[in-house]
Each structure stands twice: as C-alpha cells, then as structure tokens.
Amino acid sequence: MSTEKEPLLSPKNLKLLTEPLGKSNPITVQVLGICSALAVTVKLKPSIVLAISVMVVMAVSNVVISLLRKSIPPRIRIIVQLVVIATMVILVDQVLKAYAYDVSKQLSVFVGLIITNCIIMGRLEAFALANKPWASLLDGLGNAAGYAVILIIVAFFRELLGSGTLLDIQVIPQAFYNAGYVNNGMMILPPMALVVVGVIIWVQRSRRKDLIED
Amino acid sequence: MENLVNIFVKSIFIDNMIFAYFLGMCSYLAVSKTVKTSTGLGIAVIFVLGFTVPINFLLEKFILKAGALTWINPTLADVDLSFLTFIMFIAVIASMVQLVEMVIEKFAPTLYTSLGIFLPLIAVNCAILGGSLFMQEREYANIAEATVFGLGSGVGWFLAIVGIAAIREKIQYSNVPAPLRGLGITFIITGLMGIAFMSFMGIKL
C-alpha cells in the first residue's frame, strides 16, 4: 500500500515513539513542561484529560510545523510556532468547555498554559523544524506519552494516598479507616507533587546509571 | 490603598507562582545554578509581568470580554471575542519579551550573554501567561490592582529563584546520593520550600 521507501513503523521510527518514555523522558530528563505536570496531579481524572489534550496539541502542531518547515523564515519562527500552538489550544479548550465542563473548571488556567508548555515549543524547535511530517507525528506522540506517563504516575500516588480514591472511586476499604488508617493530607498539598517527582527521578536514575549528573 | 497592599503581599507569599502553582518551573530549574544569573532572570520576569498583566487587563476589558466592544458602537454589544484570549495574550507577551531582550542587550551585555537562550524563553515561561490568566480569572476591579498583582507575582518568582539558587550553590558541597544529585534534589528542596511557604496561608488578609 504505502509507497514510502521506509516502512511506516521502522525501528528508527519506533525509537522516536518509545525513547521519550524512558531514556529521554521530557519531564525527568529534559526538564520540560514541569509546571502543568505538577499542578493538576491531585486527582487522576484531570491529569488524564490534560495528558490527552497535550497529546492532541502536540501531535497536530508538530505535523503542521513540519509541513510548513520549508516556508517559515527563521527570524519569525517563534511567533509562527506560538500561533499554531495557541490555535490548537483554543480548539481543545472550547471542546473541553463543551463536553467536559466540570473537568475544564478543575483545570482552570492550565489548559491555556499548554501554550507555554515547554515540551511543545521544545519539540517544535528541536525536531519538527528539521524532519518529515510522519516522523514529527511520532515524535510528538512519543514525547506527549512520556509526559503523560509521569503525570499519571504522580496523580495515581497523590490521589491514592491523599484521598484514598482512584478516579473518584473509593479504593481503600472502609475497614482500613475503622482500623485507624488516615488519608495523608500532605499529598493533597501542592509541594508534595514536587517530592513525588523527585522520588521518581531518584528511582529512574538509580536504575539507569548513565543519567546520573555529577 | 490597603486593598492594593493586600493584593501585593498575597501574590508574593500566599499565591506564590512557584510554590503554590508551579508556574515557570522550567526556567526556574534550568537557570537556578548560580545566584547571579538567577537575579538577572528574576528581575526580567518582574519587569515583564509588571507590564504584560496591566496591558492584558486593558485588552480584556476593552476588546475581549463579552460586550466589551460597546465603547466603539452600541450595536456591538453581543460580540464575544473571549475565545481569542490566548492568542492576544501571548502576542502581547512575545512582543514585551522582545523589548526586554533588546533593553538588556543594550544596557547589560554580560547579563545578556549569561542568560543566553533563557531570555527569549521568558515568552514561554508559564508564570507570565499564568499571571495574565489568573488576572482574568480573579476579575480584578481596576488597572491598579492588576498592576500590583503582576508586580507581586514577579517579586514572588524572583524570591523563589534566588532562594533556590543560593541553596544549590551550597548543596554542591553536600553528600547527596548519586542518583538524586542535580535535578532530583532540586525538586525535593523546592517541595520543602513549598511546604514552608504554605505557612503563609494562615495569614488572613
């Protein structure tokens, strides 16, 4: 079917998709897009919605920029990138307001802040400007997935330990509370998200010694 | 007047951009290796926030809000341009950052070279856009309140980045577990500082 010289999911392309999940994870290794990653992770549901939104924005804007890459003058590329991202974010924001109003209220300004999520800018600068659309799509999806994984891990622990629920369903049985278990109120507070990410980095780096900083 | 002081103190300590909302974390983590560059970036952020928030306040009030265009012509009362908010705000921010970049390049060339890529990246610093979006969400009554809020948020961000830079300069001499060095320990220290800053929440303003 495909007339491409390279198969659509060649090892090289597959690497674009999987590498950001671990070795070059946008949050724990490239240190991009931290802000939104931390602020919305009190509950699992808004985190998942934000992760999906970022994935959509990132995949589409990566492809658009990659298609335009030969006609964008380098001097105004940042403005062009911002306009493409902002347009996508407006679309996502309007869709969320229409179909998931309560979640969009919970996310408040953070949907708008996808515009300034440095992962998106960073990938556009570093990848989409120099690569073909299909590779850029995979790169966008891969990096957004790497972001989503961290977001969901952090939200999972914060919601489980902080409120005893997952996706608002009670997980920790009542018997535990009767036996004296108490929800850890600290986990709901914003600073604990940072500590959880710090621990994730710790775990990741003790398994992959090559990532250790001197 | 009292109200303005309240907003100022509140935006510095209680609603601190970094410790309460994690806005502008990327440049916060990347630039905070030395106190000197952090101070420079912090001042640039105060400056940009102090200008963009009031400018965006005016835009919001006279152009973007539902029915805001009535000052041109009463027939425009049902025009609602609020879906354009993000694009308008980011355009204002990008042009302000460009301006700041030129000013710093002219008057402080050493600072300009030490900030490098992070100066243009202020445009995508979420604290700046977040400042404008919070201004919109909290519906400040007049431009004075919006300006004070912008400046206060900038000062809060400045304090946070200078504080962490000072700690990071010292922690180089400590025996941190190897996998935690650098990024990991910075996250955890920021978390601890955040917990400390939360004690300001008890202040009733």
Side-chain angles (χ1 to χ4, degrees), chain A residues 28 31 33-35 38-39 86 90 93-94 108-110 112-113 115-116 118 121 186 189-191 194 197-198 201-202 205-206 212-213, chain B residues 20-26 29 83 86-87 90 124 126 129-130 133-134 137 178-184 187-188 190-191 194-195 198:
Chain A
T28 60
V31 206
I34 313 279
C35 336
L38 300 173
I90 291 175
D93 185 46
Q94 300 286 328
S108 80
V109 302
F110 289 96
L113 287 175
I115 299 175
T116 51
C118 5
M121 264 312 253
M186 278 286 269
L189 304 178
L194 288 159
V197 176
I201 293 177
W202 191 356
R205 293 196 180 175
S206 25
I212 292 176
E213 294 168 48
Chain B
Y21 298 106
F22 312 117
L23 295 180
M25 285 297 282
C26 314
L29 290 168
F83 67 94
F86 298 151
I87 276 198
I90 203 78
V124 284
C126 5
L129 184 60
L133 292 176
F134 277 128
E137 195 181 81
L180 208 52
R181 264 184 216 152
L183 194 57
F187 266 105
I188 291 179
T190 310
I195 293 172
M198 288 190 67

Coordinates of all heavy atoms in Angstrom, one line a residue, chain A residues 28 31 33-35 38-39 86 90 93-94 108-110 112-113 115-116 118 121 186 189-191 194 197-198 201-202 205-206 212-213, chain B residues 20-26 29 83 86-87 90 124 126 129-130 133-134 137 178-184 187-188 190-191 194-195 198:
Chain A
T28 N 11.5 14.0 33.3 CA 12.6 13.7 34.3 C 14.0 13.9 33.7 O 14.9 14.0 34.4 CB 12.4 12.2 34.8 OG1 12.5 11.4 33.6 CG2 11.1 12.0 35.5
V31 N 13.7 18.0 31.5 CA 13.2 19.0 32.4 C 12.3 20.0 31.6 O 12.6 21.2 31.7 CB 14.3 19.8 33.1 CG1 13.8 20.4 34.4 CG2 15.5 18.9 33.3
G33 N 8.2 21.2 30.6 CA 6.8 21.0 30.9 C 6.5 20.6 32.3 O 5.5 19.9 32.6
I34 N 7.3 21.1 33.3 CA 7.1 20.7 34.7 C 5.8 21.3 35.3 O 5.1 20.7 36.0 CB 8.3 21.2 35.5 CG1 9.6 20.8 34.9 CG2 8.2 20.6 36.9 CD1 10.0 19.4 35.1
C35 N 5.6 22.6 34.9 CA 4.6 23.4 35.6 C 3.2 22.6 35.6 O 2.7 22.3 36.7 CB 4.4 24.7 35.0 SG 5.8 25.3 34.1
L38 N 2.8 19.3 37.5 CA 2.7 19.2 38.9 C 1.4 19.8 39.4 O 0.8 19.3 40.4 CB 3.8 20.0 39.6 CG 5.2 19.5 39.2 CD1 6.3 20.4 39.7 CD2 5.4 18.1 39.8
A39 N 0.9 20.8 38.8 CA -0.3 21.5 39.3 C -1.6 20.7 39.3 O -2.4 20.9 40.1 CB -0.4 22.8 38.7
A86 N -1.2 28.1 19.9 CA -2.3 28.8 20.5 C -3.6 28.4 19.8 O -4.6 28.2 20.5 CB -2.1 30.3 20.5
I90 N -6.7 26.7 21.7 CA -8.1 27.3 21.7 C -9.1 26.2 21.4 O -10.2 26.1 22.0 CB -8.2 28.5 20.8 CG1 -7.3 29.6 21.4 CG2 -9.6 29.0 20.6 CD1 -7.2 30.8 20.5
D93 N -9.5 23.8 24.2 CA -10.2 24.5 25.3 C -11.7 24.6 25.1 O -12.5 24.3 25.9 CB -9.6 25.9 25.5 CG -10.2 26.6 26.7 OD1 -10.3 26.0 27.7 OD2 -10.6 27.8 26.5
Q94 N -12.1 24.9 23.8 CA -13.5 25.1 23.5 C -14.2 23.7 23.5 O -15.3 23.6 24.0 CB -13.7 25.7 22.1 CG -13.1 27.1 22.0 CD -13.9 28.1 22.7 OE1 -15.1 28.0 22.8 NE2 -13.2 29.2 23.2
S108 N -8.8 24.8 35.3 CA -8.8 26.3 35.2 C -7.8 26.8 34.2 O -7.9 26.5 33.0 CB -8.6 26.9 36.6 OG -7.3 26.9 37.0
V109 N -6.8 27.5 34.7 CA -5.9 28.2 33.7 C -4.9 27.2 33.0 O -4.2 27.6 32.1 CB -5.1 29.3 34.3 CG1 -6.0 30.3 34.9 CG2 -4.1 28.8 35.4
F110 N -4.9 25.9 33.5 CA -3.9 25.1 33.0 C -4.0 24.6 31.6 O -3.1 24.2 30.9 CB -3.6 23.9 33.9 CG -3.0 24.4 35.2 CD1 -3.7 24.7 36.3 CD2 -1.6 24.6 35.2 CE1 -3.1 25.2 37.4 CE2 -1.0 25.2 36.3 CZ -1.8 25.5 37.4
G112 N -5.1 26.7 29.2 CA -4.4 27.8 28.5 C -2.9 27.7 28.6 O -2.2 28.0 27.6
L113 N -2.4 27.2 29.7 CA -1.0 27.1 29.9 C -0.3 26.1 29.0 O 0.9 26.0 29.0 CB -0.6 26.9 31.3 CG -0.9 28.2 32.2 CD1 -0.7 27.9 33.6 CD2 0.0 29.3 31.8
I115 N -0.1 26.3 26.1 CA 0.6 27.1 25.1 C 2.0 27.3 25.5 O 3.0 27.2 24.7 CB 0.0 28.5 25.0 CG1 -1.5 28.4 24.5 CG2 0.8 29.4 24.1 CD1 -2.2 29.7 24.5
T116 N 2.2 27.5 26.8 CA 3.6 27.8 27.3 C 4.2 26.5 27.8 O 5.3 26.6 28.5 CB 3.6 28.8 28.4 OG1 2.6 28.5 29.4 CG2 3.2 30.2 27.8
C118 N 6.7 24.0 27.8 CA 7.9 24.0 27.0 C 8.2 22.7 26.2 O 9.0 22.7 25.3 CB 9.1 24.3 27.9 SG 8.8 24.4 29.6
M121 N 7.0 23.6 22.6 CA 7.9 24.5 22.0 C 9.2 23.8 21.7 O 9.8 23.9 20.6 CB 8.2 25.7 22.9 CG 7.5 26.9 22.8 SD 7.4 27.5 21.1 CE 8.5 28.9 21.2
M186 N -1.1 15.6 53.5 CA 0.1 16.2 52.9 C 0.1 16.0 51.3 O 0.4 16.9 50.6 CB 1.4 15.6 53.4 CG 1.9 16.1 54.7 SD 2.6 17.7 54.5 CE 4.3 17.3 54.2
L189 N -1.5 18.6 49.2 CA -0.9 19.9 49.1 C 0.0 20.0 47.9 O 0.7 19.0 47.6 CB -0.1 20.2 50.4 CG -1.0 20.1 51.7 CD1 -0.1 20.4 52.9 CD2 -2.1 21.1 51.6
P190 N 0.1 21.1 47.2 CA 0.9 21.2 46.0 C 2.4 20.8 46.2 O 2.9 20.1 45.3 CB 0.8 22.7 45.6 CG -0.1 23.3 46.5 CD -0.7 22.3 47.5
P191 N 3.1 21.1 47.3 CA 4.5 20.8 47.3 C 4.8 19.3 47.2 O 5.9 18.9 46.8 CB 5.0 21.4 48.7 CG 4.0 22.4 49.0 CD 2.7 21.9 48.5
L194 N 6.1 17.9 43.9 CA 7.5 18.0 43.6 C 8.3 16.9 44.2 O 9.2 16.3 43.6 CB 8.0 19.3 44.2 CG 7.5 20.6 43.5 CD1 7.6 21.8 44.4 CD2 8.4 20.8 42.2
V197 N 7.8 13.7 42.2 CA 8.6 13.7 41.0 C 10.1 13.5 41.4 O 10.8 12.7 40.7 CB 8.4 15.0 40.2 CG1 9.4 15.0 39.0 CG2 7.0 15.2 39.7
G198 N 10.5 14.1 42.5 CA 11.9 13.9 42.9 C 12.2 12.5 43.1 O 13.2 11.9 42.7
I201 N 12.4 10.6 39.9 CA 13.8 10.8 39.3 C 14.8 9.9 40.0 O 15.7 9.3 39.3 CB 14.2 12.3 39.4 CG1 13.2 13.1 38.5 CG2 15.6 12.5 39.0 CD1 13.5 14.6 38.6
W202 N 14.7 9.8 41.3 CA 15.6 9.1 42.1 C 15.6 7.6 41.7 O 16.6 7.0 41.4 CB 15.3 9.2 43.6 CG 16.3 8.7 44.5 CD1 17.4 8.0 44.2 CD2 16.2 8.8 46.0 NE1 18.1 7.7 45.4 CE2 17.4 8.1 46.4 CE3 15.3 9.3 46.9 CZ2 17.6 8.1 47.8 CZ3 15.6 9.2 48.2 CH2 16.7 8.6 48.7
R205 N 16.9 7.1 38.1 CA 18.4 7.2 37.9 C 19.2 6.2 38.6 O 20.3 5.9 38.3 CB 18.8 8.6 38.4 CG 18.2 9.6 37.4 CD 18.9 11.0 37.5 NE 18.2 11.8 36.5 CZ 18.3 13.0 36.3 NH1 19.2 13.7 37.0 NH2 17.7 13.6 35.3
S206 N 18.6 5.6 39.7 CA 19.3 4.5 40.3 C 19.3 3.3 39.4 O 20.1 2.4 39.5 CB 18.9 4.2 41.7 OG 17.6 4.6 41.9
I212 N 22.9 9.8 35.6 CA 23.3 10.5 36.9 C 24.1 11.7 36.5 O 25.0 11.7 35.7 CB 24.1 9.5 37.8 CG1 23.2 8.5 38.3 CG2 24.8 10.3 38.9 CD1 23.9 7.4 39.1
E213 N 23.8 12.9 37.2 CA 24.5 14.1 37.0 C 25.7 14.1 38.0 O 25.6 13.5 39.0 CB 23.6 15.3 37.3 CG 22.5 15.5 36.3 CD 21.5 16.5 36.7 OE1 21.9 17.6 37.1 OE2 20.3 16.2 36.7
Chain B
A20 N 3.1 27.7 45.0 CA 1.7 27.4 45.1 C 1.1 26.9 43.8 O 0.2 26.1 43.7 CB 0.9 28.6 45.6
Y21 N 1.7 27.4 42.6 CA 1.1 27.0 41.4 C 2.1 26.3 40.4 O 1.8 25.9 39.3 CB 0.5 28.2 40.6 CG -0.7 28.8 41.4 CD1 -0.5 30.0 42.1 CD2 -1.9 28.1 41.5 CE1 -1.5 30.5 42.8 CE2 -2.9 28.6 42.2 CZ -2.7 29.8 42.9 OH -3.8 30.4 43.6
F22 N 3.4 26.2 40.8 CA 4.4 25.6 39.9 C 4.5 26.3 38.6 O 4.7 25.6 37.6 CB 4.2 24.2 39.6 CG 3.8 23.4 40.8 CD1 2.6 22.8 41.0 CD2 4.8 23.2 41.8 CE1 2.4 22.0 42.1 CE2 4.5 22.5 42.9 CZ 3.3 21.9 43.1
L23 N 4.3 27.6 38.5 CA 4.4 28.2 37.2 C 5.8 28.7 36.9 O 6.4 29.3 37.8 CB 3.4 29.4 37.1 CG 1.9 28.9 37.2 CD1 1.0 30.0 37.1 CD2 1.7 27.9 36.1
G24 N 6.3 28.6 35.7 CA 7.6 29.0 35.4 C 8.7 28.1 35.9 O 9.8 28.4 36.1
M25 N 8.3 26.8 36.1 CA 9.3 25.8 36.7 C 10.4 25.5 35.8 O 11.5 25.3 36.2 CB 8.6 24.5 37.0 CG 7.7 24.5 38.2 SD 8.6 24.9 39.7 CE 9.3 23.3 40.0
C26 N 10.2 25.5 34.5 CA 11.2 25.1 33.6 C 12.4 26.0 33.7 O 13.6 25.5 33.9 CB 10.8 25.0 32.1 SG 9.2 24.3 32.0
L29 N 14.1 25.8 37.1 CA 15.1 24.7 37.3 C 16.3 24.8 36.5 O 17.4 24.4 36.9 CB 14.4 23.3 37.0 CG 13.3 22.9 37.9 CD1 12.5 21.8 37.3 CD2 13.9 22.5 39.2
F83 N -12.9 34.0 23.0 CA -12.2 32.8 22.6 C -10.8 33.2 22.0 O -9.9 32.3 21.8 CB -13.0 32.0 21.5 CG -13.2 32.7 20.2 CD1 -12.3 32.5 19.2 CD2 -14.3 33.6 20.1 CE1 -12.5 33.2 18.0 CE2 -14.4 34.3 18.9 CZ -13.6 34.1 17.8
F86 N -6.3 33.6 24.4 CA -4.9 33.1 24.4 C -4.0 33.7 23.4 O -2.9 34.1 23.7 CB -4.9 31.6 24.2 CG -5.7 30.8 25.3 CD1 -6.3 29.6 25.0 CD2 -5.8 31.3 26.6 CE1 -7.0 28.9 26.0 CE2 -6.5 30.6 27.5 CZ -7.1 29.4 27.2
I87 N -4.5 33.9 22.2 CA -3.7 34.4 21.1 C -3.3 35.9 21.4 O -2.1 36.3 21.2 CB -4.4 34.3 19.7 CG1 -4.2 32.9 19.2 CG2 -4.0 35.3 18.8 CD1 -4.4 32.7 17.8
I90 N -0.7 36.0 24.3 CA 0.6 35.5 24.0 C 1.3 36.5 23.0 O 2.5 36.7 23.1 CB 0.5 34.1 23.4 CG1 1.9 33.4 23.6 CG2 0.2 34.0 22.0 CD1 2.1 32.9 25.0
V124 N 7.8 31.8 26.8 CA 7.1 30.6 27.1 C 7.2 30.2 28.5 O 7.0 29.1 28.9 CB 7.5 29.4 26.2 CG1 6.9 29.6 24.8 CG2 9.0 29.3 26.1
C126 N 5.6 29.9 31.9 CA 4.2 29.8 32.2 C 3.8 30.9 33.2 O 2.7 31.2 33.3 CB 3.7 28.5 32.6 SG 5.0 27.2 32.8
L129 N 2.3 34.0 31.3 CA 0.9 33.8 30.8 C 0.0 33.5 31.9 O -1.1 34.0 32.0 CB 0.9 32.6 29.8 CG -0.4 32.4 29.1 CD1 -0.9 33.6 28.3 CD2 -0.3 31.2 28.1
G130 N 0.5 32.7 32.9 CA -0.3 32.4 34.1 C -0.8 33.6 34.8 O -1.9 33.8 35.2
L133 N -3.6 35.1 32.9 CA -4.8 34.2 33.0 C -5.5 34.3 34.4 O -6.7 34.3 34.6 CB -4.5 32.8 32.6 CG -4.2 32.6 31.2 CD1 -3.8 31.1 30.9 CD2 -5.3 33.0 30.3
F134 N -4.6 34.3 35.5 CA -5.1 34.5 36.8 C -5.8 35.8 37.0 O -6.9 36.0 37.6 CB -4.0 34.3 37.9 CG -3.7 32.9 38.2 CD1 -2.5 32.4 38.1 CD2 -4.8 32.0 38.5 CE1 -2.2 31.1 38.4 CE2 -4.5 30.7 38.8 CZ -3.2 30.2 38.8
E137 N -9.1 35.4 35.6 CA -10.0 34.6 36.3 C -10.4 35.3 37.6 O -11.6 35.1 38.0 CB -9.2 33.3 36.7 CG -10.1 32.2 37.1 CD -9.3 30.9 37.5 OE1 -8.8 30.8 38.6 OE2 -9.3 30.0 36.6
A178 N 24.0 9.7 44.8 CA 24.3 10.0 43.4 C 23.1 10.1 42.5 O 23.1 11.0 41.7 CB 25.3 8.9 42.9
P179 N 22.1 9.2 42.6 CA 21.0 9.3 41.6 C 20.2 10.5 41.8 O 19.4 10.9 41.0 CB 20.2 8.0 41.8 CG 21.0 7.1 42.6 CD 22.0 8.0 43.4
L180 N 20.3 11.1 43.0 CA 19.5 12.2 43.4 C 20.1 13.5 43.1 O 19.5 14.6 43.1 CB 19.2 12.1 44.9 CG 17.9 12.7 45.4 CD1 16.7 12.2 44.6 CD2 17.7 12.4 46.9
R181 N 21.4 13.5 42.7 CA 22.1 14.8 42.5 C 21.5 15.6 41.4 O 21.0 15.0 40.4 CB 23.6 14.4 42.2 CG 24.4 14.5 43.4 CD 25.8 14.3 43.2 NE 26.3 13.6 44.4 CZ 27.3 12.8 44.4 NH1 28.0 12.6 43.3 NH2 27.6 12.2 45.5
G182 N 21.7 16.9 41.5 CA 21.2 17.8 40.4 C 19.7 17.9 40.5 O 19.2 18.5 41.4
L183 N 19.1 17.4 39.5 CA 17.6 17.6 39.3 C 16.8 17.1 40.5 O 16.0 17.8 41.0 CB 17.2 17.0 38.0 CG 15.8 17.4 37.5 CD1 15.8 18.9 37.4 CD2 15.6 16.7 36.2
G184 N 17.1 15.8 40.9 CA 16.2 15.2 41.9 C 16.2 16.0 43.2 O 15.1 16.3 43.7
F187 N 14.2 19.2 43.0 CA 12.8 19.0 43.1 C 12.4 18.9 44.6 O 11.4 19.5 45.1 CB 12.4 17.7 42.4 CG 11.9 18.0 41.0 CD1 12.7 17.6 40.0 CD2 10.7 18.5 40.8 CE1 12.3 17.8 38.7 CE2 10.3 18.7 39.5 CZ 11.1 18.3 38.4
I188 N 13.2 18.1 45.3 CA 12.7 17.8 46.7 C 12.9 19.1 47.5 O 12.0 19.4 48.3 CB 13.5 16.6 47.3 CG1 13.0 15.4 46.5 CG2 13.3 16.5 48.7 CD1 13.7 14.1 46.9
T190 N 12.7 22.1 46.5 CA 11.6 23.0 46.1 C 10.3 22.6 46.8 O 9.6 23.5 47.3 CB 11.4 23.0 44.6 OG1 12.6 23.2 43.9 CG2 10.4 24.1 44.2
G191 N 10.1 21.3 46.9 CA 8.9 20.8 47.7 C 9.0 21.3 49.1 O 8.0 21.7 49.6
G194 N 8.3 24.8 49.4 CA 6.8 25.0 49.2 C 6.0 24.8 50.4 O 5.1 25.6 50.8
I195 N 6.4 23.7 51.2 CA 5.7 23.5 52.4 C 6.0 24.6 53.4 O 5.0 25.1 54.1 CB 6.3 22.1 53.0 CG1 5.8 21.0 52.1 CG2 5.7 21.9 54.4 CD1 6.4 19.7 52.5
M198 N 3.8 27.4 52.6 CA 2.4 27.2 52.9 C 2.0 27.8 54.2 O 0.8 28.0 54.5 CB 2.0 25.8 52.8 CG 2.1 25.3 51.4 SD 1.5 23.7 51.3 CE -0.2 24.0 51.7

